[in-house]
Amino acid sequence: MLFRIVEKMAFRSLIQLLLETTQVIGPRKIAVTREGKPVHQYLPLSGFEELELGYDTTDIPAKSYFLPYEENLSTWSFIGNDWTQEITYRLQPRVLVGLHACDINALLKLDKVMTREFFPSPYYISRRKNSFIIGIDHEPCQGGFCHWLGTDSVNRGFDLFLTDLGDRYFVAIDSERGFTLLQQVAVRLVTENDTADYLTVRRRIASGFAPPLDVRQLPRLLDMEFDSEIWRRWGAKCLSCGSCAAVCPTCYCYGVSENVSMDFTRGAKVKQLYSCTLKDFAEVAGGHNFRSARETRLKYRYYHQHRGFVEQYDEPKCVGCGRCGRSCLAGINPQEIIGDLLATEVPS
Amino acid sequence: MNYLGIEPVRPRVALFSFTGCEGCQLQLANHEESLAEFLAAIRIVRFREISSSEQGEYDIALVEGAITRNDEVERLLAIRAQTKVLVALGSCACYGGVNRLKNSLDPAVMNREVYGDLSQESLPTRSVGEVVTVDLEIPGCPVSKPEVERIIQHLIWGIPYSFPAYPVCLECKQSFTLCRFQQGELCLGPLTRGGCRAICPAGGLGCWGCRGPAADPNYPEFFAIARQQGFSEREINERLTFFGGLEVTP
Ligand code: SF4
Ligand code: SF4
Ligand code: SF4
Ligand code: SF4
Ligand code: SF4
């Protein structure tokens, strides 16, 4: 990794330069809640002024640009007794600016699932490879708990990563294309003074987090608490709405359906992201549902986040962004559920 | 054209209208980009919105509207006796719809309110399924034409169609739509079956539940949430009863 300093004005020019040729996506304010809190979403920008890098969080994670909620996998048509199929991947380059560490860590986890298993997803890979990522450091967001899970900082998975030093950015560069792009504007080497300022900011950010819970025992605890009343209590509240997985930056489950034209000669295979809390998630042919109870579905979502994924990839799937809890009307949230699980441990 | 080895046969489809606004029938004439293909895939033998001919035999009866009069009951029984497949089309047919609101009022008062001194015969509102056996319900106020197209395709193939099991909330997330509760508004989306692409929340309005219940509606929790968000029992129940498809919570 290389480090450089870029003045804020130069960074502005950089984004404006990019906007001339490329789609640039970043946090934009779309509304204000009734409590007066601004709501941000990662959306295409039409100018630098729309970019609000001081945002707290977004409702929808950046994953929607890598695993869209709905995606056309292929279109096909019958011609006589033959048929043809067309598959298109998204190849146009795109810039995502302003991603926080949790969203980049989430992409690193998705990379493991989508690019390294037996069946890598060309749909995901084409989007990932053609996305230029500019991350940014920030004060702890409201309701996040990334520091419990070690995802409050990130060392890979981006092209550039900014830390705000007031009048300038401290930039970590993690790709050749990131380095090349920076050459388009005035950058300079890091001085001792910059490093000192950078460390001060990092320390300030780190001290802004509330004391974390120790989640190292979670996989074991989850096994022990499989029949716990915790699941009945929280499960009774679940609306089976799937919002939690939809806004989770690391949830990737999906269903595929076929959309056939009304003259039966053409069609499309459409992929739709799905969620394990939805009623028919584990329903199989013949109608049997392996997880017909709400509490079972909710429980398995937590098992995948904090146990199943650990078994497969040696790390939890959750990055602690807090989005699932914020989007849940029933107030079901990982901090409290994890807290309840930890409370079952007899203190030694 | 053969699909999945199934050669589609053109079923004869008849449309019948009962108490309602005929908006669902009108909806069938929508979605112009595929209207010609839609009309080629089926044989419409009776459809007032498109033609006024009243030909005889049919395989599928699409029944729109609620049942509120004795002559409607008789007509409906005759349709049931004649058709192979009877489909309740739209929320009035499926649940009684807005017409059902009158069931909670005094019939005499209600009759005078609407007809003045020219009192009319009127039964308590019933859904089509409360009068005859229904093979398939297509909810919506109005129905979604793309969904009707898919259902007709499934009827042609003889493959069961599955409605979305999930509630409207999921489609709000999919369309980046801000939750109406965040704006201090009531929304029945968490209880209501998805598939409408959450058009009401996306248009800035809470859901009114026109598509009836999702696969696993959690009424007690919904009620608790709505109360906690500051809505009165009356407001919540008024909303829940609006289309007649959802349960009222005590
Ligand atoms: S946990 Fe909350 S967001 Fe997730 S499905 Fe249940 S009610 Fe919906
Ligand atoms: S489970 Fe919740 S907190 Fe964890 S990554 Fe997903 S949305 Fe964020
Ligand atoms: S199983 Fe559930 S928690 Fe796991 S990726 Fe799928 S939706 Fe997310
Ligand atoms: S607006 Fe309604 S349907 Fe949409 S997420 Fe909120 S409660 Fe659910
Ligand atoms: S959002 Fe609700 S009221 Fe609106 S169309 Fe969908 S189901 Fe009907």
Side-chain angles (χ1 to χ4, degrees):
Chain A
M1 204 178 312
L2 286 174
F3 304 99
R4 290 290 184 274
I5 297 293
V6 54
E7 302 293 326
K8 282 202 171 157
M9 283 312 287
F11 180 71
R12 183 196 176 99
S13 315
L14 187 72
I15 296 295
Q16 278 166 340
L17 211 68
L18 285 167
L19 274 164
E20 283 171 21
T21 54
T22 319
Q23 187 184 43
V24 182
I25 288 156
R28 243 175 61 189
K29 187 163 115 186
I30 55 153
V32 178
T33 65
R34 69 166 156 181
E35 290 87 22
K37 248 192 85 197
V39 181
H40 289 90
Q41 232 49 307
Y42 296 118
L43 290 169
L45 306 171
S46 53
F48 182 82
E49 312 66 47
E50 288 177 347
L51 180 63
E52 295 203 3
L53 287 175
Y55 76 109
D56 185 55
T57 183
T58 58
D59 281 6
I60 306 288
K63 96 167 165 191
S64 57
Y65 292 99
F66 301 90
L67 293 176
Y69 288 118
E70 200 177 276
E71 188 173 25
N72 200 331
L73 298 181
S74 85
T75 50
W76 48 262
S77 50
F78 293 127
I79 307 156
N81 285 328
D82 206 358
W83 66 289
T84 59
Q85 176 176 237
E86 198 179 310
I87 296 174
T88 39
Y89 303 116
R90 194 185 189 288
L91 296 174
Q92 305 96 305
R94 165 147 93 181
V95 178
L96 279 96
V97 56
L99 267 54
H100 288 169
C102 60
D103 268 347
I104 297 171
N105 276 307
L107 288 175
L108 289 170
K109 290 179 199 280
L110 286 178
D111 287 348
K112 294 191 172 169
V113 180
M114 295 292 150
T115 69
R116 303 205 197 135
E117 289 291 336
F118 289 121
F119 300 104
S121 162
Y123 302 93
Y124 177 85
I125 293 171
S126 62
R127 288 167 183 274
R128 182 77 162 110
K129 288 230 182 290
N130 292 305
S131 298
F132 187 95
I133 291 174
I134 308 178
I136 189 163
D137 252 340
H138 65 111
E139 306 296 325
C141 73
Q142 277 180 36
F145 57 105
C146 49
H147 59 307
W148 300 10
L149 298 152
T151 49
D152 50 326
S153 62
V154 65
N155 297 314
R156 302 180 296 113
F158 53 81
D159 294 283
L160 304 174
F161 197 88
L162 316 172
T163 303
D164 191 337
L165 302 184
D167 53 350
R168 62 203 192 281
Y169 289 116
F170 184 95
V171 189
I173 307 165
D174 196 42
S175 73
E176 220 175 286
R177 61 186 190 183
F179 185 81
T180 312
L181 181 78
L182 265 196
Q183 303 313 306
Q184 309 221 16
V185 293
V187 285
R188 62 171 175 78
L189 296 174
V190 177
T191 65
E192 261 174 46
N193 189 22
D194 298 322
T195 307
D197 284 355
Y198 170 73
L199 292 175
T200 309
V201 170
R202 281 299 311 159
R203 251 179 251 122
R204 190 188 69 222
I205 291 174
S207 65
F209 286 107
L213 293 188
D214 182 355
V215 295
R216 284 170 301 178
Q217 299 300 326
L218 257 190
R220 185 174 58 85
L221 264 182
L222 281 165
D223 271 346
M224 290 166 62
E225 298 302 327
F226 191 79
D227 294 318
S228 168
E229 60 80 35
I230 291 173
W231 303 117
R232 276 189 294 284
R233 187 154 39 85
W234 287 101
K237 294 164 74 64
C238 181
L239 300 157
S240 306
C241 72
S243 294
C244 45
V247 302
C248 178
T250 61
C251 275
Y252 47 78
C253 284
Y254 64 93
V256 176
S257 58
E258 200 127 292
N259 216 337
V260 182
S261 71
M262 233 17 251
D263 65 357
F264 307 100
T265 63
R266 294 159 288 128
K269 260 193 200 307
V270 182
K271 168 182 167 182
Q272 187 189 11
L273 291 195
Y274 220 65
S275 162
C276 56
T277 55
L278 299 175
K279 172 78 174 176
D280 61 349
F281 183 81
E283 197 177 290
V284 291
H288 181 69
N289 192 335
F290 284 96
R291 298 181 203 160
S292 63
R294 284 175 200 140
E295 63 172 83
T296 318
R297 294 195 295 274
L298 185 70
K299 172 163 74 182
Y300 273 102
R301 188 170 135 70
Y302 278 82
Y303 271 72
H304 191 205
Q305 300 289 20
H306 295 284
R307 182 182 168 277
F309 204 83
V310 181
E311 235 167 57
Q312 220 173 341
Y313 301 105
D314 290 320
E315 56 181 298
K317 179 173 155 298
C318 173
V319 295
C321 70
R323 285 189 178 93
C324 55
R326 277 185 224 108
S327 78
C328 180
L329 284 168
I332 299 168
N333 68 88
Q335 295 97 311
E336 281 185 80
I337 291 185
I338 292 171
D340 283 355
L341 283 163
L342 294 179
T344 61
E345 281 261 84
V346 184
S348 50
Chain B
M1 180 56 75
N2 172 316
Y3 171 71
L4 299 178
I6 304 166
E7 196 62 51
V9 282
R10 289 177 72 199
R12 292 163 302 176
V13 177
L15 273 117
F16 299 94
S17 217
F18 291 86
T19 302
C21 69
E22 297 200 16
C24 288
Q25 276 210 36
L26 193 61
Q27 191 66 4
L28 295 190
N30 261 338
H31 211 232
E32 277 151 30
E33 57 272 31
S34 61
L35 186 59
E37 292 177 358
F38 181 70
L39 294 174
I42 56 180
R43 262 178 296 167
I44 297 222
V45 296
R46 194 178 184 284
F47 188 0
R48 272 211 312 167
E49 298 288 347
I50 289 181
S51 88
S52 58
S53 80
E54 283 238 28
Q55 294 172 29
E57 306 257 295
Y58 45 86
D59 308 304
I60 301 174
L62 301 180
V63 175
E64 164 202 69
I67 308 303
T68 63
R69 286 198 318 260
N70 272 321
D71 62 311
E72 289 189 331
V73 174
E74 279 162 35
R75 261 178 75 212
L76 184 59
L77 288 170
I79 294 164
R80 177 69 272 186
Q82 204 180 332
T83 190
K84 291 182 195 141
V85 178
L86 192 148
V87 180
L89 186 72
S91 301
C92 295
C94 295
Y95 315 119
V98 181
N99 315 292
R100 203 178 200 107
L101 287 174
K102 75 167 186 178
N103 291 6
S104 59
L105 304 167
D106 177 344
V109 174
M110 187 259 327
N111 214 306
R112 201 168 320 113
E113 175 76 27
V114 178
Y115 300 110
D117 293 336
L118 306 166
S119 162
Q120 301 287 319
E121 180 235 324
S122 177
L123 302 173
T125 300
R126 279 181 291 173
S127 67
V128 171
E130 285 171 297
V131 181
V132 296
T133 308
V134 166
D135 301 299
L136 185 69
E137 291 186 341
I138 310 181
C141 181
V143 291
S144 131
K145 177 72 186 289
E147 189 168 55
V148 172
E149 288 183 346
R150 303 201 75 184
I151 290 167
I152 295 283
Q153 289 178 332
H154 282 74
L155 284 172
I156 291 173
W157 297 322
I159 302 173
Y161 174 79
S162 327
F163 285 97
Y166 53 79
V168 178
C169 295
L170 187 68
E171 293 181 338
C172 278
K173 304 300 166 310
Q174 294 172 343
S175 55
F176 283 53
T177 297
L178 203 65
C179 181
R180 298 319 300 167
F181 277 108
Q182 277 194 39
Q183 304 291 300
E185 286 166 38
L186 185 58
C187 178
L188 298 187
L191 297 172
T192 305
R193 172 174 15 214
C196 61
R197 300 204 161 235
I199 44 174
C200 296
L205 205 76
C207 170
W208 284 72
C210 82
R211 289 173 57 84
D216 196 10
N218 190 340
Y219 288 104
E221 181 61 22
F222 176 78
F223 201 73
I225 293 166
R227 285 309 302 264
Q228 191 217 325
Q229 299 266 344
F231 298 98
S232 73
E233 207 169 307
R234 212 183 125 197
E235 268 174 297
I236 301 165
N237 278 332
E238 259 178 23
R239 182 75 72 102
L240 283 166
T241 43
F242 194 77
F243 282 107
L246 297 168
E247 278 173 26
V248 181
T249 327

